Amino acid sequence: MYNITYYHKLIINKEITIAQNERKSIHGQWSSKVLFIFAATGSAVGLGNIWKFPWMAAENGGGAFVIVYLASVALIALPIMIAEILIGRRGKQNPVNSLRYLSKEASQVKVYEVDHDLNRTKQTKYQHHNQEDYTNWELIGWMGVISGIIILSFYSVIAGWTISYIFKSFSGLFNQVTIDGATSLFKKFTSDAERQLAWHTIFMFMTCYIVSKGVRGGLEKAIKFLIPGLFMILLILTGYVTTLSGFTEGLRYLFLPDLNKITASVVWSAMGMAFFSLSIGMGALMIYGSYLSNKFSIFEVTSIVAFADTFVAILAGIIIFPIVFTYHLDPTTAGPGLIFQTLPIAFGSMPGGETFGTLFFILLFFAAITSAISLIEPAVTLLIENFRHTRAEASLKIGFVTWLVGIGTIFSFNYWQDVTILGMNFFNLLDALTSKVLLPLGGFSMAIFVGYLVKRRTSVAELKMSQSMYTIWRVLIRYIAPVAVMVIFTNGFM
Ligand code: PHE
C-alpha cells in the first residue's frame, strides 16, 4: 500500500534515494587503509597513554587498575570503537549529520505494493515512517562536540608542559637531577601561570593552524614518522629502566593485581581511561571513519589501533614505575605531574639523556597534536557543514573558546589551587566530567544506537566480518558493553 506523499518525499530526499555505495564523503577520503590506521592511531596515542595512564594507574592501585583497564578495552571499548567508526563511515559527514543519516536510514520500513500481474505483493522501496524518530540521536554528536572542546581545553595545557620540557631537556636542566630537583622544577613551572599560558596559546595556535588547512595534508605526513619514532624512544627508555634497582618492584606493582584494591571507583576510573585512551565516545573516530573508504575492514583497522594504543600505555607504565620505586616516590600522591617528575631523572642519569630527553618530549608533543586535531575536528566540521563556516573561521572560533576554557586549567595549578567543586579543582573536574561521564555516556549511546536501532543488514554490510566474529561483536555491543557501562557508572557514582 503506497502513500503518494511519502513517495514524493523519498524522491526529494536525496540522501535516502542515493544508493549507499554511491555515497561519497563530502570531505574527501583517506588515500589508503594505512593512512587511516595512522590517523586513528595518531588520535588514540597521545598524552593519554604516556601522561595520564601511569598517573591513573599510580592513583588507583597499580595492577588492580591495569587489569580492569585491559578488560575494559577488550569488552567495552573495542566493540564501541567498531560501532563508532561504523557510524562515521556510513554517515560520511560530521557526527551530528552522520547520526541523523543513520537514524533516518534505520527508521525506514519496507513498503509493499500489490503486483496485479503476478497477483502477489512485492517489496518496492524503503521509506521512513516517523519523521521525529531521528532527531534525538544527533544529540550524541552534539555531546561529542562539547566533550571534545572540554578535553582539548586541558589537553592543550598539558601539551604546553610538554613543549616547555623539550627546552628544559635541551638546555641540560635534567643533568644529574635528583628527585627533589625534578619535583621542584615541576612545581616552579606549574606555579607560573603566565608561562603556561604562553605554551597553551602556542599549542592551540598550532592545532588550529593545522586544522584550518584541512586534516589530510598535515596529518598524513606527520604520523608516518611519529609513531615509529615514539616506539623507538620508548624501547630505549625501557632498556634503561631495566638497569634500575626498582625495576622488578615497578613491574610487580604494575602487573600483579592486588584484587582487594579493585573498588567501584578504581573500575570507574579504568573504564573512563579506556574511553579516553582509545579516543572513543566523542566522535573523533567517527569523523576519521567518515574519511574511510568502504573497501576496508573496520574490524581489522580497529584491532590494530587498539593494540598499538594499549601497547604504548603499558610501555609507559613499564618505564615510569621502576623510576617511581627506585626513587621512593609515593605513587598515590604524585598526580598529573607524575611523568614530569620521574622522566627527567631517567634522562638526567642515562648516557645520551639530553638528546633522548629532547627527542622524547618532541615526539610526545607530536603525539599530543595529532590527538588534539581529532579532538577539535568534530566541532570544526560541524560548523563547516551545518553552519556555513569556512575551515579557517571554524577553527578560529572553536580554537578561541577552547583556549579560553583552558585558562581555568592553568589556574588550577596556581591561583585556583584551593578552589574545589565536589572536592576537585577545575582541572580535575573537567577531566572527571569527560573521562568518567561524557565519554562513557557517548559510548553507551552509540552502543545502543548501533546495537538496537541500526538494522542488522546495515551493520553486517558495513563490517563484513566472519559470521562468528560478527556474532561475538553483536553480543558485546548489545548486551555486554552497555550493561557494563551502566553498572560501572551507577556503582561508581554511589
Ligand atoms: N586518546 C587521546 C590520548 O590518549 C586523547 C583523546 C581523547 C583524543 C578523546 C580524542 C578523543 O591522548
Side-chain angles (χ1 to χ4, degrees):
M1 304 322 110
Y2 195 88
N3 171 329
I4 194 70
T5 49
Y6 260 124
Y7 183 62
H8 261 89
K9 271 186 194 143
L10 276 174
I11 301 207
I12 297 162
N13 194 338
K14 270 209 186 123
E15 273 180 323
I16 298 281
T17 46
I18 297 174
Q20 175 62 29
N21 53 12
E22 291 168 25
R23 290 188 75 243
K24 285 256 162 57
S25 165
I26 63 170
H27 41 223
Q29 275 186 6
W30 302 108
S31 40
S32 76
K33 177 168 84 180
V34 177
L35 282 176
F36 172 81
I37 295 174
F38 276 170
T41 311
S43 166
V45 175
L47 295 171
N49 309 60
I50 290 169
W51 157 73
K52 195 175 170 187
F53 179 79
W55 154 40
M56 284 286 125
E59 205 167 83
N60 291 287
F65 175 87
V66 173
I67 196 168
V68 182
Y69 175 78
L70 293 176
S72 310
V73 168
L75 300 176
I76 303 176
L78 198 67
I80 295 182
M81 195 170 168
I82 293 174
E84 179 167 345
I85 297 176
L86 184 156
I87 300 173
R89 184 168 77 178
R90 197 161 180 95
K92 298 238 183 308
Q93 290 192 38
N94 66 65
V96 171
N97 289 4
S98 290
L99 283 154
R100 187 184 303 165
Y101 173 80
L102 258 85
S103 38
K104 261 188 205 175
E105 187 184 56
S107 68
Q108 289 168 3
V109 288
K110 287 176 184 165
V111 180
Y112 293 93
E113 190 181 7
V114 179
D115 186 329
H116 293 289
D117 298 338
L118 295 170
N119 200 19
R120 64 176 174 82
T121 58
K122 64 171 187 189
Q123 185 201 331
T124 53
K125 279 258 185 284
Y126 288 109
Q127 67 178 34
H128 48 89
H129 57 142
N130 186 349
Q131 296 285 339
E132 274 71 53
D133 268 0
Y134 46 79
T135 44
N136 291 336
W137 292 101
E138 18 176 302
L139 286 179
I140 306 175
W142 283 101
M143 193 167 80
V145 164
I146 293 165
S147 316
I149 292 174
I150 301 178
I151 295 175
L152 185 55
S153 78
F154 65 79
Y155 205 84
S156 166
V157 174
I158 313 297
W161 296 2
T162 307
I163 309 179
S164 151
Y165 269 62
I166 298 174
F167 294 101
K168 286 189 174 37
S169 178
F170 186 72
S171 60
L173 269 182
F174 301 156
N175 288 345
Q176 307 303 330
V177 76
T178 59
I179 182 72
D180 293 333
T183 305
S184 71
L185 203 69
F186 177 72
K187 292 263 155 65
K188 193 168 140 234
F189 173 66
T190 50
S191 61
D192 188 341
E194 285 82 33
R195 194 164 289 222
Q196 288 183 80
L197 182 64
W199 291 125
H200 165 55
T201 310
I202 289 172
F203 185 81
M204 275 314 300
F205 182 82
M206 286 193 276
T207 303
C208 291
Y209 179 78
I210 296 174
V211 170
S212 71
K213 294 282 168 207
V215 172
R216 298 178 59 208
L219 257 187
E220 293 187 357
K221 284 179 215 126
I223 300 170
K224 269 181 229 168
F225 69 87
L226 163 73
I227 305 284
L230 199 62
F231 273 130
M232 284 293 294
I233 293 240
L234 288 174
L235 290 176
I236 293 170
L237 279 167
T238 310
Y240 166 77
V241 296
T242 54
T243 65
L244 294 179
S245 61
F247 181 63
T248 37
E249 201 183 346
L251 289 198
R252 224 179 282 135
Y253 185 75
L254 193 63
F255 293 120
L256 283 186
D258 174 354
L259 297 182
N260 294 326
K261 285 192 182 153
I262 304 185
T263 62
S265 132
V266 167
V267 176
W268 195 12
S269 297
M271 177 189 69
M273 185 63 221
F275 278 96
F276 186 88
S277 190
L278 289 178
S279 306
I280 55 174
M282 52 75 59
L285 292 181
M286 208 184 279
I287 273 285
Y288 282 4
S290 75
Y291 299 101
L292 181 67
S293 152
N294 291 353
K295 287 192 297 240
F296 306 128
S297 150
I298 293 180
F299 177 63
E300 191 188 311
V301 295
T302 306
S303 322
I304 296 173
V305 175
F307 180 79
D309 187 77
T310 310
F311 188 67
V312 174
I314 296 290
L315 219 49
I318 292 179
I319 293 163
I320 302 294
F321 285 101
I323 307 179
V324 166
F325 287 103
T326 305
Y327 295 95
H328 310 294
L329 271 173
D330 179 0
T332 50
T333 55
L338 183 63
I339 68 155
F340 296 96
Q341 292 169 56
T342 48
L343 287 177
I345 305 175
F347 293 127
S349 58
M350 68 197 271
E354 228 171 86
T355 316
F356 287 137
T358 311
L359 227 78
F360 171 82
F361 285 109
I362 291 177
L363 288 169
L364 186 56
F365 155 74
F366 273 107
I369 206 154
T370 53
S371 301
I373 291 167
S374 73
L375 281 164
I376 200 174
E377 188 65 11
V380 169
T381 36
L382 181 70
L383 284 192
I384 298 173
E385 291 169 0
N386 295 20
F387 297 93
R388 295 168 175 280
H389 283 57
T390 63
R391 211 163 231 290
E393 285 165 2
S395 322
L396 197 71
K397 278 192 194 166
I398 305 290
F400 179 73
V401 175
T402 312
W403 174 82
L404 210 61
V405 183
I407 296 176
T409 289
I410 296 179
F411 287 174
S412 313
F413 296 98
N414 33 71
Y415 305 131
W416 296 351
Q417 216 163 20
D418 303 317
V419 182
T420 56
I421 311 157
L422 302 169
M424 291 175 272
N425 68 26
F426 186 76
F427 158 66
N428 290 128
L429 187 73
L430 293 193
D431 177 41
L433 174 70
T434 47
S435 283
K436 289 169 131 184
V437 183
L438 292 178
L439 297 184
L441 207 62
F444 172 82
S445 322
M446 288 177 202
I448 299 296
F449 181 73
V450 176
Y452 293 90
L453 208 86
V454 167
K455 294 267 164 39
R456 193 188 174 102
R457 64 181 142 80
T458 306
S459 55
V460 168
E462 281 293 325
L463 295 179
K464 300 186 194 77
M465 288 168 161
S466 69
Q467 178 80 43
S468 52
M469 286 309 278
Y470 180 82
T471 311
I472 295 173
W473 171 77
R474 201 160 161 90
V475 170
L476 287 171
I477 204 74
R478 282 167 73 96
Y479 309 107
I480 313 285
V483 172
V485 172
M486 269 309 133
V487 170
I488 293 171
F489 188 78
T490 22
N491 273 328
F493 217 78
M494 309 210 287

